[in-house]
Amino acid sequence: MLLGSLLASACSSEEKSTLVRRVPFVGEDTKVETKTGVGWDSRLYTDLSVVDREHLVIPKSSFYIRTAYPDRLVPSTPWSIAISGLVAAPTTITVEGDLLPNARPMGTHVLECSGNHREGGFGLLSAASWSGVPLSELLSRFGALPSATRILISGFDEHSTPSVNNHSKPGASWIFSLDEIVRTKAFLATALDGQDLGLDHGQPVRLYVPNWYGCTCIKWVNEIQLLDDSAPATAHMIEFASRTHQNGEPALAKDFLPASMDHAAMPTRVEEWRAPNGAIELRALGILWGGDRPIDRLLFHANESAGVPVRLSPSESWTLWEHTWTPPGRGRYKLTMSIDDPAIRTRRLTTKYYEREIDV
Ligand SMILES: Nc1nc2c(c(=O)[nH]1)N[C@H]1C(S)=C(S)[C@@H](COP(=O)(O)O)O[C@H]1N2
Ligand SMILES: [Mo]
């Protein structure tokens, strides 16, 4: 049954519950699905309320945008990526000659901006299918010296309009250990949702690091450097240090923790239904994403109530969940989720980062 129960009830006979309304989340007034701003401050917030079993992934046109196509970027054909640093000889690879002929489906993944926030309906979060070439497969072509232990991926990041209040600083690059590249199955992406990437999503090539925050997924990649453990952290890494849960602002790239997403979950749609006896029934649909293992027990909390396990429906990207409950009365409810397994790290669930409120 699962999400199907919503549909079943929608075609109700008289003994069944009837849908009264979609309950809005309090304090989330950002216009979703509308591109706003320019340069680094450009945003498109995905409308996550559409996600259900029939709409498991986000189409390219609704995929969230954080930073629009740089207006100073004059694309060249072929698009080349300069390889330098601790290599036998500097070289270049091109998208047309080296990537596109080897590009293939890389799976469906969740991408989230580490600065995702409640006022934006947590809409800096999307799931889609990607194609590209595993970075580990290209590593052997770079002629890395034995001393190379790290790799810097850098992208074009110059806009004519500065970021308001200097919120975003110029330069987009992240440094990974070679081991992280292999372990995460990071890839250079050349297609999104079976189409070209689209200018705002990094066309012609971006990095994609499955299950790491979006700030590591550098767009418009034009430079790769092989480095060793003495490499200083980049300005971009420092900018995103706290949002990726680092201990302070480490001076060296090697002291950065993996910018991976812990298990996280939130409701994305709440509906008010009326039961045949007149009682209010609330139905929440939501998503569970991130983390490093399958989860079979996710708890739902309305205000400080003891958690109730929800029904989980895994998919290739995020897991959908559904929960129906009868509130004790009208009023405001804070909705949060938890995973009650001390072996599982859930930094953002623990701090209620994804708390959402409804008025019933
Ligand atoms: N060159 C470049 N790459 C970038 C950024 C940027 O500002 N410049 N922003 C990063 C951040 S913070 C995020 S969350 C993702 C967003 O990717 P999307 O806009 O395709 O969703 O791109 C990342 N890659
Ligand atoms: Mo981000």
Side-chain angles (χ1 to χ4, degrees):
M1 270 258 275
L2 209 61
L3 306 178
S5 64
L6 287 177
L7 294 176
S9 309
C11 327
S12 64
S13 65
E14 262 168 329
E15 318 79 61
K16 299 242 174 87
S17 301
T18 49
L19 176 62
V20 178
R21 62 176 183 132
R22 186 78 71 87
V23 186
F25 294 109
V26 176
E28 302 184 11
D29 302 327
T30 299
K31 216 164 178 317
V32 289
E33 306 281 322
T34 309
K35 187 178 163 188
T36 59
V38 294
W40 289 291
D41 297 332
S42 182
R43 300 285 186 272
L44 183 146
Y45 293 90
T46 297
D47 178 7
L48 293 169
S49 74
V50 303
V51 176
D52 57 25
R53 204 160 47 165
E54 283 71 44
H55 305 91
L56 261 182
V57 295
I58 303 297
K60 176 177 148 184
S61 56
S62 297
F63 199 95
Y64 87 85
I65 296 169
R66 193 283 186 195
T67 307
Y69 185 78
D71 60 357
R72 291 216 166 128
L73 176 50
V74 181
S76 67
T77 311
W79 177 276
S80 54
I81 303 175
I83 318 290
S84 66
L86 299 171
V87 291
T91 175
T92 61
I93 59 169
T94 66
V95 168
E96 291 77 3
D98 300 290
L99 299 183
L100 291 181
N102 299 308
R104 50 199 190 267
M106 290 286 118
T108 303
H109 302 283
V110 177
L111 190 69
E112 183 185 16
C113 179
S114 56
N116 200 9
H117 55 105
R118 169 167 146 164
E119 307 77 59
F122 295 110
L124 298 178
L125 172 64
S126 298
S129 67
W130 299 82
S131 298
V133 181
L135 197 48
S136 60
E137 194 176 295
L138 296 162
L139 278 179
S140 57
R141 309 252 313 267
F142 298 165
L145 299 176
S147 54
T149 54
R150 293 183 184 266
I151 185 166
L152 170 142
I153 312 289
S154 183
F156 192 94
D157 203 49
E158 292 163 39
H159 302 256
S160 62
T161 315
S163 175
V164 173
N165 299 328
N166 203 21
H167 178 74
S168 285
K169 293 162 194 69
S173 55
W174 203 273
I175 299 173
F176 306 84
S177 71
L178 296 179
D179 179 56
E180 285 166 346
I181 294 298
V182 174
R183 247 187 314 120
T184 59
K185 301 190 170 75
F187 56 93
L188 289 175
T190 52
L192 158 60
D193 195 14
Q195 308 156 51
D196 61 38
L197 283 180
L199 293 178
D200 293 328
H201 298 297
Q203 195 166 306
V205 58
R206 80 174 304 163
L207 180 66
Y208 201 100
V209 190
N211 215 42
W212 284 38
Y213 283 112
C215 50
T216 67
C217 299
I218 302 301
K219 303 194 275 194
W220 312 292
V221 172
N222 58 7
E223 193 190 351
I224 294 179
Q225 284 180 33
L226 277 296
L227 303 168
D228 63 20
D229 287 355
S230 68
T234 66
H236 184 82
M237 294 169 80
I238 300 291
E239 180 180 343
F240 286 95
S242 75
R243 280 173 260 175
T244 58
H245 307 285
Q246 305 300 325
N247 301 312
E249 295 182 350
L252 297 181
K254 78 170 177 59
D255 294 324
F256 266 66
L257 303 168
S260 54
M261 300 184 284
D262 286 355
H263 293 282
M266 65 179 165
T268 45
R269 186 200 301 178
V270 178
E271 295 170 347
E272 181 179 323
W273 290 72
R274 192 180 312 283
N277 65 1
I280 297 173
E281 227 172 46
L282 294 172
R283 295 185 180 178
L285 285 188
I287 52 176
L288 162 68
W289 72 100
D292 57 2
R293 65 195 85 177
I295 294 292
D296 56 14
R297 202 174 131 85
L298 174 68
L299 304 179
F300 174 90
H301 307 258
N303 291 341
E304 299 301 325
S305 67
V308 185
V310 300
R311 281 194 291 180
L312 297 167
S313 170
S315 82
E316 205 198 330
S317 54
W318 38 40
T319 289
L320 297 186
W321 60 261
E322 185 196 350
H323 181 64
T324 301
W325 80 106
T326 304
R330 297 224 169 248
R332 180 161 295 184
Y333 290 89
K334 291 180 193 298
L335 310 181
T336 55
M337 316 293 297
S338 69
I339 294 171
D340 60 347
D341 179 343
I344 297 179
R345 191 181 65 177
T346 56
R347 291 169 294 190
R348 289 193 172 187
L349 286 185
T350 305
T351 58
K352 300 191 173 142
Y353 187 95
Y354 298 102
E355 177 177 281
R356 307 184 89 168
E357 292 181 332
I358 52 168
D359 283 329
V360 179

